[in-house]
Structure formats: structure tokens, C-alpha cells
Amino acid sequence: MSQPIPNQAQLRRDRPVCSRMLVLMFVLLAGFSLVTWRLAVIQIKESPRLAKLAAQKYQRHIVLPAHRGAIKDFNGEYLAHDEDVSELYTDRTHLRELVTVRHQLAAVRGVKAVELREQLDEDETISAYHDHVAKVLAEILPAPEKEIREQLASDKPEIVLAKQVDEETAKQWSILFKAEHIFGIHMRPAVARRFPAKDRLSLVLGDTDAASNKGRWGVEKMMDAKLTGTPGEQFIERDKFGHELPAYRGLVVEPRHGSDAYLTIDMQLQDNVEAICERAWKANEARRVVIVVTEPSTGTVLAMAARPHRDTSNPDLSTWTNHVIAEPYEPGSIFKVVTLAAALDNQKVTPGEKIDCCQMFYEDPVRKVKLSDDEPLGMQTVKGVLVHSSNIGMYKISKRVGQDLMLDYTARFGFGSTTGIGLLGEKAGYVNTGKWSNTTYSRMPIGYEVSVTPLQMCMAYGAIANGGVLMKPRLIDRVVKENGETEVMPPQPVWQACTAKTAASLRDFLEGVVLEGTGSRAALPDVRVGGKTGTTRRYDPEKKRYIDGSYLTSFIGIAPVDNPQLVCLVMLDDPKAESSKMIRGGRVAAPVFAEVVRETLDHLAIRNHQPLKVAAKGGAQ
């Protein structure tokens, strides 16, 4: 069948409609093309930039702090540890998020956001909200409201408003912020270093930097690499109201906490030694008192106490100086063992050889130096020279030794260099290695014109107790990792300071000092003790002269002398007495030594500890 012929009149009437439809179609096509092009630009070209902006606005990189390892005493008592706390900080992006800020401010004022929009422009809205936040924060923070207001308006991405906020306070603040519609102020996890030991052993433990939690000095600095952990991280995303979106939480990298360091010091013994030190300090009205106890076979430090010390309750009598390692002094007669070791090792004298110690006074006919003793001693064996602490006899022995051997053995026993304990601030002391004057020839062999630290002296006597082997001081017993793996810090011999034969002779001499010489007050009824007294005139470095009637007294000894378990040094600087003749190491320091040794031996008898024996390496035999 043939198709009907269209009505031309009708076609003419529909032509404008078709034209309009075509125009509309092209307009829609152009619109869709424009939208498609814009979406393509946003999704492809602008995607990285916009994603970055969105991330800056809503995503947060959270550092999960690693706990710094704890410092514990030998038995595990906490001396320093990290505690979980929080930080309060500002979020510039959220504090300037207009829509959310307007809703929060409207809730505070009890009006609708639409009404608030009509009352305040954008800047006024944000400013009014910041005023509200500052007012609330000023009630819980020590900073004034004006200062907080300036911090809220800062262009910095964030400002920490409060550090080391404890868990309970953080919970209370979170409730307060919710009630007060505080937005843009957040809490995040942090750690704070705590020292439950307080002033006990504080000059050994040291401190950490509050910002980085890194060790600044003391054991905290020495063991920083072991104590420091590796922080973790987490990316979170918040909605426009500042609430975290758990569904968009990124991968969490857990922190690896630091290892724990265990000291060789047992705080029960340390506290007892501290108490003895305190009593001696007050009873003798001394300028300072130092007590050090070590284990000679391993170099282990068992206790170290000093007065004055760091005392936060009494700042006027407090000090930041660790007298054990950082304040050298002239040791006096306790240094005479170095002279004897050099003489005996090199066959300059024999133990039974007689030395003329004269009748209290002596002047060298060549060097024109004068020496004196406290009593007329006459002829004495080499042992008797030490037993009765004859300056004259020791000088005559030193003339056979000579400068080179004297300096050699001074260095062999560790003087003139740091011990290597690892604590910041340790001093090496002073040894005159240059040209000696006549005075030096006569004074250094008896402990003048040389300065040492108490720890150096303990390690030197430790060598005598340990068959002549000088040990490096050992302050860290073990390091325990987070997984329980334990690394024991082994004893470290330095070298052979003198022969084992000489060391045995010196121990016999030292026992004689206690049994029949100047150290009788150091004796214990059931323990064989050997030691040496020391009394030196105090030197005034400003006036460059010795002070009349002012002395530094000391006693250092070994117990038991037949099976050495400990070396103990007691030093009292400028003790007071009715007469200057009463200020002697044997009278003042020796009784304190006996008290410390008795306390230490009783403690070691019940201490669950297997001594670490080591063999000598290198040096003379």
C-alpha cells in the first residue's frame, strides 16, 4: 500500500516546535558535555590537588609514641619509667570550619544555625566561637584567656596547649568539651617520664628532655640507644564535626617499646648506704661525704652515695654534681699503694727490707725537700712503712722507683683517665706528666700533687683485690627487651695493673694497717679487713695554698681480705672536731667504713647473685 501524503499545512505549523526541540537538545548536549568535561578535570587533572586539600582538612597522621624503656634496680624496682598521658592541642582547620563552627556556636547560644547566620557574618561567627572556646579553656589551663585566644587565632596548623595530661583529667576534659560544644580542640596520646625514686640515686639516673624524651645525662643518656623505642603511626579521618570515622581508619603500625635497663645497684643496700652517708655528713659537719662500694672481681658498682646531693626538698643544700665521678681531690696516703706496687713489681724493694723512717722529720740533702710523720718510726720494713703510713719511708722508696715508673704505674691503675663508667661529666683527674719539680718528687708518691675521683680510687684498689687486674666499672647489670630477651652486660677487664704476687703482698700490707696500724677502727670482729687511711690538707685553688686546720679524710679497704667480695671508699671533706689532731682518716672515716662493710656483707649474703669471674687479659704477669 502507498504511504499517505503528509499534510503540508500541518508540517509548516510543527516546524517551529521541531526547531525549538533541536535547540533544546543541543543545549542539553552542551550542558552534559560541560559537566562531563568538568568532572573529567576534577577526577583526573585536579584529583591529586583536591585529594591533598581534603586530606589536610579531614585526615590526620597520628604518631603512636613508643614507651622509653624503664630503668630498674638490680631486683627490678622501678627507678624511672614512662607513663601514658595525653596532649591537648588546637586544630586550625576545624577551628575555622565555618559550617561546623556556626552549628556549635548556635548550640551554645541556644538558637538555630539559620538565625545565627542572619545575625553574624563569617568572621564574626568564627571570632565569637573562639571567644567561647578560650573562656572554657582558661578555666582548666594555667594560661590566661587572652593568651589562649591568640593561640586559637594563630595560623599555625596546631599548637599544644597542655602536655602530660593524666588519664583521669583527660576524661574529665573530654566530657567538658562535649558539654560546652568545643570543636577543634583535640587530645592525642603521649608519654611522660616518671621517676618514682625521686631524689634517690637521681644524680646517677639522670634526666630526659621533655620534648623528645631523649636522655640528657646520667644513665638516661648512657643507655639512650637501648632505652629508646620506635614510634608507631596511624592515619585517621574525621568528619566535619571533628569525629573520627572508624571505617576510614588507615593502617596502624604499632610502636616498638624500648628495652629496660637493670642497674647493678640494689636500692635496699643503696638506701642503707645513703642513710649512713647522711649520718656521717651531719655528725661530722663535713663539707661533703662520699661512699662508694664495688665488687672487685667484676668491677660491679654496688652502691654510691654522696652528700650534699640533689635534694628537691632543700634546694639550698642541693647540688647537681655527682661527687663520685666529677669532683677530683688529692687522695693523700691511700695513693701510697701505687708507689709500692711500682717498687715491688720492679724489684726496687722487698717486703721485708728495712727502711729508715727517721724520727718524725726528714730533709732530703739533694732536693732540699722536707717531710714529716705523725710519730717517730725509726727503722721499718716496707710493709711497716705502709702500716704506719710513713711519708718519709714512702718518699725514700719512691726515689728508687723514679718518675717514669711512677707515671707508668699511676696510669696502669687508671689515674689520669676516665674509668669508662659511661656517665656524662666524669673527670679524669690530674697527673703531672711533664717535668717534675723537687716538690713533685716528694709529694706525688704520698698522694699530693695528683687528683683522683672516688670511683678511680675504688677501681685501683679493686685491682689489688682482683689479682692485679684493673676492671672497668660496671653499672648496668642487664638489658631486657620488650619480648623478654635478656642481654647480660659482662665484666670488662682493662689490663693487668700489677702482678698477682704484688697484689697479694699489698693485700697483706693493707690487712696490717687494720690489725696494727692507723686503720684499727675499720676492723670487724669476724671478717678479715684490709685497708688504708688517708688524711690530706685541703687546698684552696683561689688562694693557691693549703688551708691550716682543714683536712680531707678517707679510708678505703677490702673485705674479706682473704676472699675479696667488696671494696669500699669513705671520704669526708673538711670534717669538724674539737682538735685538728682528731681529724684523721683512721678516726673519722674508718668507723664509717666498718659500718658500710658490715651492712654490705650482710646484704650480699642474701643477694641472689652469682659473681661473674673473668680472667686477666694483656699486661704484665
Short mmCIF file of all heavy atoms in Angstrom, two decimals, residues 331-346 348 367 393-416 430-434 436-437 439-452 457 497:
data_model
loop_
_atom_site.label_atom_id
_atom_site.label_comp_id
_atom_site.label_asym_id
_atom_site.label_seq_id
_atom_site.Cartn_x
_atom_site.Cartn_y
_atom_site.Cartn_z
N PRO A 331 94.27 12.55 97.05
CA PRO A 331 93.89 11.40 97.88
C PRO A 331 94.73 11.20 99.13
O PRO A 331 94.31 10.55 100.08
CB PRO A 331 94.07 10.22 96.92
CG PRO A 331 95.14 10.67 95.99
CD PRO A 331 94.93 12.15 95.81
N GLY A 332 95.95 11.71 99.13
CA GLY A 332 96.81 11.51 100.29
C GLY A 332 97.32 10.09 100.38
O GLY A 332 97.59 9.43 99.37
N SER A 333 97.43 9.58 101.60
CA SER A 333 98.13 8.32 101.85
C SER A 333 97.50 7.10 101.20
O SER A 333 98.17 6.07 101.03
CB SER A 333 98.25 8.08 103.36
OG SER A 333 99.09 9.06 103.95
N ILE A 334 96.21 7.14 100.85
CA ILE A 334 95.62 5.96 100.20
C ILE A 334 96.21 5.76 98.80
O ILE A 334 96.05 4.69 98.21
CB ILE A 334 94.08 6.08 100.11
CG1 ILE A 334 93.65 7.31 99.31
CG2 ILE A 334 93.46 6.12 101.51
CD1 ILE A 334 92.15 7.41 99.11
N PHE A 335 96.94 6.76 98.30
CA PHE A 335 97.59 6.64 96.99
C PHE A 335 98.93 5.91 97.10
O PHE A 335 99.52 5.52 96.09
CB PHE A 335 97.82 8.05 96.41
CG PHE A 335 98.25 8.07 94.97
CD1 PHE A 335 97.34 7.88 93.95
CD2 PHE A 335 99.58 8.29 94.64
CE1 PHE A 335 97.73 7.92 92.62
CE2 PHE A 335 99.99 8.34 93.30
CZ PHE A 335 99.06 8.15 92.30
N LYS A 336 99.42 5.69 98.31
CA LYS A 336 100.75 5.11 98.50
C LYS A 336 100.87 3.70 97.95
O LYS A 336 101.98 3.23 97.67
CB LYS A 336 101.11 5.13 99.98
CG LYS A 336 101.38 6.52 100.53
CD LYS A 336 101.62 6.51 102.04
CE LYS A 336 101.90 7.92 102.56
NZ LYS A 336 102.04 7.96 104.04
N VAL A 337 99.75 3.00 97.78
CA VAL A 337 99.82 1.64 97.23
C VAL A 337 100.34 1.65 95.80
O VAL A 337 100.95 0.66 95.35
CB VAL A 337 98.44 0.95 97.27
CG1 VAL A 337 98.00 0.70 98.71
CG2 VAL A 337 97.39 1.77 96.52
N VAL A 338 100.12 2.75 95.07
CA VAL A 338 100.62 2.84 93.70
C VAL A 338 102.15 2.88 93.71
O VAL A 338 102.82 2.20 92.92
CB VAL A 338 100.05 4.09 92.99
CG1 VAL A 338 100.61 4.21 91.58
CG2 VAL A 338 98.53 4.03 92.95
N THR A 339 102.71 3.66 94.63
CA THR A 339 104.16 3.74 94.76
C THR A 339 104.74 2.38 95.12
O THR A 339 105.75 1.94 94.54
CB THR A 339 104.52 4.77 95.84
OG1 THR A 339 103.88 6.01 95.56
CG2 THR A 339 106.03 4.98 95.91
N LEU A 340 104.10 1.71 96.07
CA LEU A 340 104.59 0.39 96.49
C LEU A 340 104.45 -0.64 95.38
O LEU A 340 105.32 -1.51 95.21
CB LEU A 340 103.83 -0.07 97.72
CG LEU A 340 104.32 0.47 99.07
CD1 LEU A 340 103.48 -0.08 100.20
CD2 LEU A 340 105.79 0.15 99.28
N ALA A 341 103.36 -0.59 94.62
CA ALA A 341 103.18 -1.54 93.52
C ALA A 341 104.30 -1.40 92.49
O ALA A 341 104.85 -2.41 92.01
CB ALA A 341 101.82 -1.31 92.86
N ALA A 342 104.66 -0.17 92.16
CA ALA A 342 105.75 0.06 91.20
C ALA A 342 107.07 -0.47 91.75
O ALA A 342 107.86 -1.09 91.03
CB ALA A 342 105.85 1.55 90.90
N ALA A 343 107.31 -0.25 93.05
CA ALA A 343 108.56 -0.68 93.67
C ALA A 343 108.65 -2.20 93.75
O ALA A 343 109.68 -2.81 93.44
CB ALA A 343 108.70 -0.06 95.05
N LEU A 344 107.57 -2.85 94.20
CA LEU A 344 107.57 -4.31 94.34
C LEU A 344 107.61 -5.02 93.00
O LEU A 344 108.33 -6.02 92.83
CB LEU A 344 106.34 -4.75 95.15
CG LEU A 344 106.32 -4.35 96.62
CD1 LEU A 344 104.95 -4.62 97.22
CD2 LEU A 344 107.40 -5.10 97.41
N ASP A 345 106.83 -4.54 92.04
CA ASP A 345 106.78 -5.17 90.72
C ASP A 345 108.16 -5.16 90.04
O ASP A 345 108.50 -6.09 89.30
CB ASP A 345 105.78 -4.43 89.83
CG ASP A 345 104.53 -5.25 89.56
OD1 ASP A 345 104.41 -6.34 90.16
OD2 ASP A 345 103.67 -4.82 88.77
N ASN A 346 108.90 -4.12 90.27
CA ASN A 346 110.18 -3.94 89.58
C ASN A 346 111.39 -4.22 90.48
O ASN A 346 112.51 -3.78 90.19
CB ASN A 346 110.25 -2.52 89.01
CG ASN A 346 109.24 -2.29 87.90
OD1 ASN A 346 109.47 -2.64 86.75
ND2 ASN A 346 108.08 -1.72 88.26
N LYS A 348 112.45 -3.08 93.20
CA LYS A 348 113.19 -1.97 93.78
C LYS A 348 113.31 -2.14 95.30
O LYS A 348 114.23 -1.60 95.92
CB LYS A 348 112.49 -0.64 93.47
CG LYS A 348 112.31 -0.36 91.98
CD LYS A 348 113.63 -0.23 91.26
CE LYS A 348 113.43 0.09 89.78
NZ LYS A 348 114.73 0.18 89.05
N ARG A 367 117.58 17.27 97.13
CA ARG A 367 116.43 18.03 96.63
C ARG A 367 115.94 19.08 97.61
O ARG A 367 115.09 19.91 97.26
CB ARG A 367 115.27 17.07 96.29
CG ARG A 367 115.59 16.17 95.08
CD ARG A 367 114.46 15.22 94.77
NE ARG A 367 114.74 14.45 93.58
CZ ARG A 367 114.40 13.18 93.38
NH1 ARG A 367 113.74 12.54 94.35
NH2 ARG A 367 114.71 12.56 92.26
N GLY A 393 109.34 7.25 104.82
CA GLY A 393 109.70 5.96 104.25
C GLY A 393 109.21 5.81 102.82
O GLY A 393 109.91 5.27 101.95
N MET A 394 107.99 6.28 102.54
CA MET A 394 107.44 6.15 101.19
C MET A 394 108.22 7.00 100.20
O MET A 394 108.44 6.61 99.05
CB MET A 394 105.96 6.54 101.19
CG MET A 394 105.21 6.09 99.95
SD MET A 394 105.24 4.29 99.71
CE MET A 394 104.39 3.71 101.17
N TYR A 395 108.68 8.17 100.64
CA TYR A 395 109.48 9.02 99.76
C TYR A 395 110.79 8.33 99.41
O TYR A 395 111.24 8.34 98.25
CB TYR A 395 109.74 10.36 100.42
CG TYR A 395 110.78 11.19 99.69
CD1 TYR A 395 110.55 11.66 98.40
CD2 TYR A 395 112.01 11.47 100.29
CE1 TYR A 395 111.52 12.41 97.72
CE2 TYR A 395 112.98 12.22 99.62
CZ TYR A 395 112.72 12.69 98.34
OH TYR A 395 113.68 13.42 97.67
N LYS A 396 111.42 7.70 100.40
CA LYS A 396 112.68 7.02 100.13
C LYS A 396 112.49 5.85 99.17
O LYS A 396 113.36 5.57 98.33
CB LYS A 396 113.30 6.55 101.45
CG LYS A 396 113.81 7.71 102.32
CD LYS A 396 114.52 7.19 103.57
CE LYS A 396 115.12 8.36 104.35
NZ LYS A 396 115.87 7.90 105.55
N ILE A 397 111.38 5.16 99.29
CA ILE A 397 111.08 4.09 98.33
C ILE A 397 110.86 4.66 96.94
O ILE A 397 111.34 4.12 95.93
CB ILE A 397 109.84 3.29 98.80
CG1 ILE A 397 110.16 2.51 100.08
CG2 ILE A 397 109.36 2.33 97.71
CD1 ILE A 397 108.96 1.83 100.73
N SER A 398 110.15 5.78 96.85
CA SER A 398 109.84 6.38 95.55
C SER A 398 111.09 6.85 94.82
O SER A 398 111.11 6.89 93.59
CB SER A 398 108.87 7.55 95.72
OG SER A 398 109.52 8.67 96.28
N LYS A 399 112.15 7.21 95.57
CA LYS A 399 113.39 7.64 94.93
C LYS A 399 113.99 6.50 94.12
O LYS A 399 114.64 6.74 93.10
CB LYS A 399 114.39 8.13 95.99
CG LYS A 399 113.98 9.47 96.62
CD LYS A 399 114.93 9.86 97.73
CE LYS A 399 116.33 10.19 97.20
NZ LYS A 399 117.22 10.67 98.28
N ARG A 400 113.78 5.26 94.55
CA ARG A 400 114.27 4.11 93.79
C ARG A 400 113.40 3.85 92.56
O ARG A 400 113.87 3.29 91.56
CB ARG A 400 114.27 2.87 94.68
CG ARG A 400 115.07 3.01 95.96
CD ARG A 400 115.11 1.69 96.69
NE ARG A 400 115.64 1.81 98.04
CZ ARG A 400 115.83 0.78 98.87
NH1 ARG A 400 115.52 -0.45 98.46
NH2 ARG A 400 116.30 0.98 100.09
N VAL A 401 112.15 4.23 92.66
CA VAL A 401 111.21 3.99 91.55
C VAL A 401 111.46 4.96 90.40
O VAL A 401 111.53 4.57 89.23
CB VAL A 401 109.75 4.11 92.05
CG1 VAL A 401 108.77 4.02 90.87
CG2 VAL A 401 109.43 3.02 93.07
N GLY A 402 111.57 6.24 90.70
CA GLY A 402 111.81 7.23 89.66
C GLY A 402 110.53 7.71 88.99
O GLY A 402 109.46 7.10 89.12
N GLN A 403 110.66 8.81 88.26
CA GLN A 403 109.49 9.46 87.65
C GLN A 403 108.82 8.58 86.61
O GLN A 403 107.60 8.44 86.59
CB GLN A 403 109.89 10.80 87.02
CG GLN A 403 108.72 11.49 86.33
CD GLN A 403 109.11 12.83 85.71
OE1 GLN A 403 110.20 13.34 85.96
NE2 GLN A 403 108.22 13.40 84.91
N ASP A 404 109.60 7.97 85.72
CA ASP A 404 109.00 7.21 84.61
C ASP A 404 108.16 6.04 85.11
O ASP A 404 107.02 5.83 84.66
CB ASP A 404 110.09 6.72 83.66
CG ASP A 404 110.74 7.85 82.88
OD1 ASP A 404 110.14 8.95 82.84
OD2 ASP A 404 111.85 7.65 82.36
N LEU A 405 108.73 5.25 86.04
CA LEU A 405 107.97 4.12 86.57
C LEU A 405 106.78 4.59 87.39
O LEU A 405 105.71 3.97 87.35
CB LEU A 405 108.87 3.24 87.44
CG LEU A 405 109.62 2.10 86.75
CD1 LEU A 405 110.47 1.34 87.75
CD2 LEU A 405 108.65 1.16 86.04
N MET A 406 106.96 5.69 88.11
CA MET A 406 105.85 6.21 88.91
C MET A 406 104.68 6.61 88.01
O MET A 406 103.51 6.30 88.30
CB MET A 406 106.33 7.41 89.72
CG MET A 406 105.34 7.85 90.79
SD MET A 406 105.20 6.65 92.11
CE MET A 406 103.55 7.04 92.71
N LEU A 407 104.98 7.29 86.92
CA LEU A 407 103.92 7.69 85.98
C LEU A 407 103.31 6.48 85.29
O LEU A 407 102.09 6.43 85.04
CB LEU A 407 104.48 8.67 84.95
CG LEU A 407 104.78 10.08 85.44
CD1 LEU A 407 105.44 10.91 84.34
CD2 LEU A 407 103.50 10.77 85.91
N ASP A 408 104.15 5.48 84.99
CA ASP A 408 103.66 4.28 84.33
C ASP A 408 102.64 3.57 85.21
O ASP A 408 101.54 3.20 84.76
CB ASP A 408 104.84 3.36 84.02
CG ASP A 408 104.39 2.07 83.34
OD1 ASP A 408 103.37 2.10 82.63
OD2 ASP A 408 105.07 1.03 83.52
N TYR A 409 102.95 3.39 86.50
CA TYR A 409 102.04 2.67 87.38
C TYR A 409 100.84 3.53 87.77
O TYR A 409 99.76 3.00 88.06
CB TYR A 409 102.79 2.15 88.60
CG TYR A 409 103.42 0.81 88.31
CD1 TYR A 409 104.59 0.73 87.56
CD2 TYR A 409 102.82 -0.37 88.72
CE1 TYR A 409 105.16 -0.50 87.25
CE2 TYR A 409 103.38 -1.61 88.41
CZ TYR A 409 104.54 -1.67 87.67
OH TYR A 409 105.07 -2.89 87.35
N THR A 410 101.01 4.82 87.78
CA THR A 410 99.85 5.69 88.01
C THR A 410 98.83 5.48 86.90
O THR A 410 97.62 5.36 87.16
CB THR A 410 100.29 7.17 88.05
OG1 THR A 410 101.20 7.34 89.15
CG2 THR A 410 99.09 8.08 88.24
N ALA A 411 99.31 5.39 85.65
CA ALA A 411 98.42 5.15 84.52
C ALA A 411 97.87 3.72 84.54
O ALA A 411 96.70 3.48 84.22
CB ALA A 411 99.15 5.41 83.21
N ARG A 412 98.71 2.75 84.93
CA ARG A 412 98.28 1.36 84.98
C ARG A 412 97.08 1.18 85.92
O ARG A 412 96.18 0.38 85.65
CB ARG A 412 99.42 0.46 85.47
CG ARG A 412 100.46 0.09 84.42
CD ARG A 412 101.63 -0.61 85.10
NE ARG A 412 102.58 -1.13 84.13
CZ ARG A 412 102.62 -2.40 83.72
NH1 ARG A 412 101.74 -3.27 84.19
NH2 ARG A 412 103.52 -2.80 82.84
N PHE A 413 97.08 1.92 87.02
CA PHE A 413 95.98 1.81 87.98
C PHE A 413 94.80 2.71 87.62
O PHE A 413 93.85 2.83 88.40
CB PHE A 413 96.48 2.13 89.39
CG PHE A 413 97.15 0.95 90.06
CD1 PHE A 413 98.52 0.78 89.99
CD2 PHE A 413 96.39 0.00 90.73
CE1 PHE A 413 99.14 -0.30 90.59
CE2 PHE A 413 97.00 -1.10 91.33
CZ PHE A 413 98.38 -1.26 91.26
N GLY A 414 94.86 3.33 86.45
CA GLY A 414 93.69 4.03 85.93
C GLY A 414 93.62 5.51 86.22
O GLY A 414 92.62 6.16 85.88
N PHE A 415 94.65 6.08 86.83
CA PHE A 415 94.62 7.50 87.16
C PHE A 415 95.08 8.34 85.97
O PHE A 415 95.94 7.92 85.20
CB PHE A 415 95.49 7.78 88.39
CG PHE A 415 95.08 7.00 89.60
CD1 PHE A 415 95.87 5.98 90.11
CD2 PHE A 415 93.86 7.26 90.22
CE1 PHE A 415 95.48 5.24 91.21
CE2 PHE A 415 93.46 6.53 91.33
CZ PHE A 415 94.27 5.52 91.82
N GLY A 416 94.46 9.51 85.84
CA GLY A 416 94.77 10.38 84.71
C GLY A 416 93.88 10.15 83.51
O GLY A 416 94.01 10.83 82.48
N TYR A 430 93.91 14.65 87.72
CA TYR A 430 95.14 15.32 87.25
C TYR A 430 96.37 14.50 87.62
O TYR A 430 96.52 14.06 88.77
CB TYR A 430 95.25 16.71 87.87
CG TYR A 430 96.60 17.37 87.63
CD1 TYR A 430 96.92 17.90 86.38
CD2 TYR A 430 97.55 17.43 88.65
CE1 TYR A 430 98.16 18.48 86.15
CE2 TYR A 430 98.79 18.02 88.42
CZ TYR A 430 99.08 18.54 87.17
OH TYR A 430 100.31 19.12 86.95
N VAL A 431 97.23 14.31 86.64
CA VAL A 431 98.53 13.68 86.85
C VAL A 431 99.56 14.53 86.11
O VAL A 431 99.39 14.83 84.92
CB VAL A 431 98.57 12.23 86.32
CG1 VAL A 431 99.98 11.65 86.44
CG2 VAL A 431 97.57 11.36 87.06
N ASN A 432 100.60 14.92 86.80
CA ASN A 432 101.66 15.75 86.19
C ASN A 432 102.58 14.85 85.36
O ASN A 432 103.46 14.17 85.90
CB ASN A 432 102.45 16.47 87.28
CG ASN A 432 103.50 17.42 86.69
OD1 ASN A 432 103.66 17.50 85.47
ND2 ASN A 432 104.21 18.12 87.55
N THR A 433 102.38 14.87 84.06
CA THR A 433 103.19 14.05 83.17
C THR A 433 104.35 14.84 82.56
O THR A 433 105.10 14.32 81.74
CB THR A 433 102.33 13.48 82.03
OG1 THR A 433 101.71 14.56 81.32
CG2 THR A 433 101.26 12.55 82.57
N GLY A 434 104.47 16.09 82.95
CA GLY A 434 105.56 16.92 82.44
C GLY A 434 106.80 16.83 83.31
O GLY A 434 107.03 15.83 84.01
N TRP A 436 108.99 17.26 86.42
CA TRP A 436 108.69 17.33 87.84
C TRP A 436 109.62 18.30 88.56
O TRP A 436 110.82 18.36 88.27
CB TRP A 436 108.83 15.95 88.48
CG TRP A 436 107.67 15.03 88.21
CD1 TRP A 436 106.67 15.23 87.33
CD2 TRP A 436 107.44 13.78 88.83
NE1 TRP A 436 105.81 14.17 87.34
CE2 TRP A 436 106.26 13.26 88.26
CE3 TRP A 436 108.09 13.03 89.79
CZ2 TRP A 436 105.71 12.03 88.64
CZ3 TRP A 436 107.56 11.80 90.17
CH2 TRP A 436 106.38 11.30 89.61
N SER A 437 109.05 19.00 89.52
CA SER A 437 109.87 19.80 90.42
C SER A 437 110.31 18.93 91.58
O SER A 437 109.84 17.79 91.74
CB SER A 437 109.05 20.99 90.95
OG SER A 437 107.99 20.52 91.77
N THR A 439 109.52 19.35 94.55
CA THR A 439 108.33 19.16 95.38
C THR A 439 107.49 18.01 94.86
O THR A 439 106.99 17.18 95.64
CB THR A 439 107.49 20.44 95.42
OG1 THR A 439 108.31 21.52 95.88
CG2 THR A 439 106.30 20.28 96.34
N THR A 440 107.31 17.92 93.55
CA THR A 440 106.51 16.84 92.97
C THR A 440 107.12 15.48 93.28
O THR A 440 106.41 14.52 93.60
CB THR A 440 106.39 17.01 91.45
OG1 THR A 440 105.88 18.31 91.15
CG2 THR A 440 105.47 15.96 90.84
N TYR A 441 108.46 15.37 93.21
CA TYR A 441 109.14 14.12 93.54
C TYR A 441 108.81 13.65 94.95
O TYR A 441 108.71 12.45 95.21
CB TYR A 441 110.65 14.27 93.40
CG TYR A 441 111.17 14.08 91.99
CD1 TYR A 441 111.57 15.16 91.21
CD2 TYR A 441 111.27 12.80 91.44
CE1 TYR A 441 112.05 14.99 89.92
CE2 TYR A 441 111.75 12.62 90.14
CZ TYR A 441 112.13 13.71 89.39
OH TYR A 441 112.59 13.53 88.11
N SER A 442 108.64 14.61 95.85
CA SER A 442 108.41 14.24 97.25
C SER A 442 106.93 14.13 97.60
O SER A 442 106.57 13.47 98.57
CB SER A 442 109.07 15.28 98.18
OG SER A 442 108.43 16.55 98.05
N ARG A 443 106.07 14.78 96.83
CA ARG A 443 104.65 14.84 97.19
C ARG A 443 103.77 13.83 96.45
O ARG A 443 102.87 13.25 97.05
CB ARG A 443 104.09 16.26 96.96
CG ARG A 443 104.74 17.33 97.84
CD ARG A 443 104.54 17.02 99.31
NE ARG A 443 105.10 18.04 100.19
CZ ARG A 443 106.26 17.96 100.81
NH1 ARG A 443 107.03 16.90 100.61
NH2 ARG A 443 106.67 18.93 101.62
N MET A 444 104.04 13.60 95.18
CA MET A 444 103.16 12.69 94.43
C MET A 444 103.18 11.26 94.99
O MET A 444 102.13 10.62 95.08
CB MET A 444 103.53 12.68 92.95
CG MET A 444 102.57 11.82 92.12
SD MET A 444 102.87 11.95 90.37
CE MET A 444 101.80 10.64 89.76
N PRO A 445 104.32 10.71 95.39
CA PRO A 445 104.31 9.34 95.92
C PRO A 445 103.48 9.17 97.19
O PRO A 445 103.10 8.04 97.53
CB PRO A 445 105.79 9.07 96.21
CG PRO A 445 106.53 10.00 95.31
CD PRO A 445 105.69 11.24 95.24
N ILE A 446 103.16 10.28 97.88
CA ILE A 446 102.35 10.18 99.10
C ILE A 446 100.95 10.76 98.89
O ILE A 446 100.23 11.02 99.85
CB ILE A 446 103.05 10.86 100.30
CG1 ILE A 446 103.25 12.36 100.04
CG2 ILE A 446 104.38 10.17 100.60
CD1 ILE A 446 103.79 13.12 101.25
N GLY A 447 100.58 10.99 97.62
CA GLY A 447 99.20 11.35 97.32
C GLY A 447 98.90 12.82 97.22
O GLY A 447 97.72 13.22 97.23
N TYR A 448 99.93 13.67 97.10
CA TYR A 448 99.72 15.09 96.83
C TYR A 448 100.16 15.38 95.39
O TYR A 448 100.82 14.57 94.75
CB TYR A 448 100.54 15.95 97.80
CG TYR A 448 99.96 16.07 99.18
CD1 TYR A 448 100.28 15.13 100.16
CD2 TYR A 448 99.11 17.10 99.52
CE1 TYR A 448 99.76 15.23 101.45
CE2 TYR A 448 98.58 17.22 100.81
CZ TYR A 448 98.91 16.28 101.76
OH TYR A 448 98.40 16.38 103.04
N GLU A 449 99.75 16.56 94.89
CA GLU A 449 100.05 16.97 93.51
C GLU A 449 99.55 15.94 92.50
O GLU A 449 100.12 15.75 91.43
CB GLU A 449 101.55 17.24 93.33
CG GLU A 449 102.03 18.47 94.07
CD GLU A 449 103.35 19.01 93.55
OE1 GLU A 449 103.68 18.78 92.37
OE2 GLU A 449 104.05 19.69 94.33
N VAL A 450 98.50 15.24 92.87
CA VAL A 450 97.78 14.33 91.98
C VAL A 450 96.33 14.37 92.45
O VAL A 450 96.06 14.46 93.65
CB VAL A 450 98.35 12.90 92.03
CG1 VAL A 450 98.27 12.34 93.44
CG2 VAL A 450 97.62 11.98 91.05
N SER A 451 95.40 14.36 91.51
CA SER A 451 93.99 14.36 91.92
C SER A 451 93.27 13.18 91.28
O SER A 451 93.56 12.81 90.13
CB SER A 451 93.30 15.68 91.54
OG SER A 451 93.19 15.82 90.14
N VAL A 452 92.36 12.60 92.04
CA VAL A 452 91.64 11.40 91.60
C VAL A 452 90.17 11.56 91.97
O VAL A 452 89.81 12.38 92.82
CB VAL A 452 92.21 10.14 92.26
CG1 VAL A 452 93.70 10.03 92.02
CG2 VAL A 452 91.92 10.14 93.76
N MET A 457 89.68 5.62 92.53
CA MET A 457 90.39 5.01 93.65
C MET A 457 89.81 3.64 93.98
O MET A 457 90.56 2.69 94.27
CB MET A 457 90.31 5.94 94.86
CG MET A 457 91.20 5.51 96.01
SD MET A 457 92.96 5.35 95.57
CE MET A 457 93.38 7.07 95.31
N ALA A 497 97.27 -4.34 86.08
CA ALA A 497 97.90 -3.15 86.66
C ALA A 497 99.20 -3.50 87.37
O ALA A 497 100.17 -2.74 87.33
CB ALA A 497 96.94 -2.47 87.63
#
